[in-house]
Amino acid sequence: MNRIMPPIAMTPTTQSTPIAGGANALQRAAQNAAKLAGGAGGLNAAQPVGQNNKAAPDFTSLLGNMLTEVSAAQAKSSDMNRRLQMGDPKATIEDTVLAMNTASVQFQMVVQVRNKLVQSYTDIMNMPV
């Protein structure tokens, strides 16, 4: 059952900040997925199955890294918004809006990952044994 989450009110004290390179979050996610899958071609043909000595990052660390990045993005956005309101000449409105939108998109992505995890758990728990 998909629920639509209400929009989060953005106030100057709760503004999100974009992560460095936040616009490339989807590219990083795709690169991480490719690494987990063993590269663009899947299994490496030069290595027999079971001979891969690389330790793939576990899901917990990937999720933790994603949460850390989103938190940093929100903090940066909040800081840029505060600086813009205080009249800092280095804080442009374009950079601030970009930072806020990047943090918002990243947060929405984390919420959707969480929703998919909860839905998967519910589906598994409802499976007949």
Side-chain angles (χ1 to χ4, degrees):
M1 165 184 201
N2 290 334
R3 294 186 320 190
I4 298 176
M5 300 297 290
I8 296 174
M10 303 284 268
T11 62
T13 57
T14 61
Q15 283 296 334
S16 5
T17 51
I19 296 172
N24 297 324
L26 293 177
Q27 287 178 333
R28 286 193 311 254
Q31 289 170 349
N32 287 339
K35 287 178 187 175
L36 289 174
L43 293 175
N44 188 349
Q47 293 179 341
V49 175
Q51 296 288 329
N52 189 355
N53 293 331
K54 292 182 189 175
D58 60 345
F59 183 73
T60 305
S61 66
L62 289 175
L63 192 58
N65 291 341
M66 185 183 346
L67 291 173
T68 302
E69 287 183 10
V70 170
S71 177
Q74 290 177 338
K76 181 180 176 190
S77 172
S78 179
D79 180 57
M80 289 182 70
N81 189 24
R82 181 187 53 76
R83 287 182 17 219
L84 181 68
Q85 290 177 357
M86 295 296 212
D88 184 356
K90 293 182 182 177
T92 65
I93 188 136
E94 294 86 3
D95 290 340
T96 303
V97 170
L98 179 64
M100 291 168 51
N101 286 335
T102 301
S104 176
V105 167
Q106 289 176 341
F107 182 74
Q108 290 173 7
M109 181 178 68
V110 168
V111 169
Q112 290 303 317
V113 168
R114 186 222 41 194
N115 290 345
K116 290 295 182 181
L117 285 172
V118 170
Q119 182 64 43
S120 298
Y121 175 78
T122 305
D123 290 346
I124 291 170
M125 294 308 292
N126 291 330
M127 284 182 177
V129 179

